[in-house]
Amino acid sequence: MNGAFGAGKTTLAQQLIADDPQLLLFDAELPGFMLREIVPLPPSGDFQDLRVWRRSVVGTAVALAQEYQRTLVVPMTVVVWPYLDEILAGLRTCGMDVAHYFITVPTDVIRRRIEAQSLWPQDPARDAQVRAWRLAQVDRCAQAAQNLPDGTIILDGTLPVEQLAARVTGAARG
């Protein structure tokens, strides 16, 4: 599940899990958080620019799916299409069936959502830093949404989450 920060990926993922507890949530940011503790970030400051992050996402997803024999729900903002291609190709090479969903939301709505979120309520300085970084990504994400990879299933992020979940479930069933 892809889209801008604040598009509703995590909310949709939580709804899907609530609707079907057999699904398994894998937050692809977690390998990035781990890597930030091990290796220096690239000059961009974005762990997605680390090839080892992309390989870690693939390896972790494959291991989780194999070990637990459950369908994964993976919310993650990835708008550098070669990076997304690398991840999706890696998953498919390992025999995984992959669907790419992209949640679209007008940029003014995205900005309001990000401003209203508190990701680190116990750490106001970190919360402000994360909010500023996410806000700085809005235009980049909007630009990327203009040229989505082939096969992407587009979701209207202004719809109620229950409707989005039903659309994802319907598309997954074919």
Side-chain angles (χ1 to χ4, degrees):
M1 226 167 300
N2 200 349
F5 298 98
K9 299 176 304 297
T10 300
T11 302
L12 177 54
Q14 291 168 341
Q15 182 67 49
L16 289 166
I17 301 293
D19 291 347
D20 183 355
Q22 286 304 305
L23 297 173
L24 187 61
L25 179 65
F26 168 42
D27 184 343
E29 284 189 337
L30 295 176
F33 296 155
M34 176 193 70
L35 288 168
R36 282 195 311 213
E37 301 298 319
I38 300 170
V39 297
L41 286 176
S44 66
D46 189 347
F47 58 70
Q48 290 189 12
D49 291 334
L50 296 171
R51 184 169 177 260
V52 69
W53 172 77
R54 300 184 301 275
R55 293 175 61 207
S56 295
V57 168
V58 171
T60 303
V62 169
L64 287 168
Q66 288 174 347
E67 185 70 23
Y68 296 99
Q69 297 294 304
R70 293 163 64 184
T71 299
L72 302 180
V73 177
V74 186
M76 185 69 205
T77 298
V78 181
V79 296
V80 176
W81 298 140
Y83 294 176
L84 181 68
D85 290 343
E86 182 180 340
I87 292 167
L88 298 180
L91 294 169
R92 289 180 178 124
T93 297
C94 291
M96 295 187 72
D97 185 24
V98 180
H100 177 239
Y101 297 89
F102 194 93
I103 303 172
T104 61
V105 181
T107 56
D108 61 321
V109 174
I110 293 281
R111 285 185 178 91
R112 281 196 307 270
R113 287 180 182 179
I114 292 171
E115 287 290 347
Q117 291 173 329
S118 180
L119 300 174
W120 298 98
Q122 278 71 30
D123 188 344
R126 185 171 187 191
D127 195 56
Q129 179 184 23
V130 170
R131 182 176 297 104
W133 191 87
R134 290 164 57 106
L135 285 167
Q137 305 309 308
V138 172
D139 291 335
R140 180 174 78 125
C141 292
Q143 193 85 0
Q146 302 304 312
N147 188 27
L148 295 169
D150 290 340
T152 298
I153 300 165
I154 299 169
L155 302 173
D156 179 353
T158 64
L159 294 173
V161 68
E162 297 82 8
Q163 287 183 24
L164 293 177
R167 172 117 193 261
V168 170
T169 301
R173 290 189 178 134

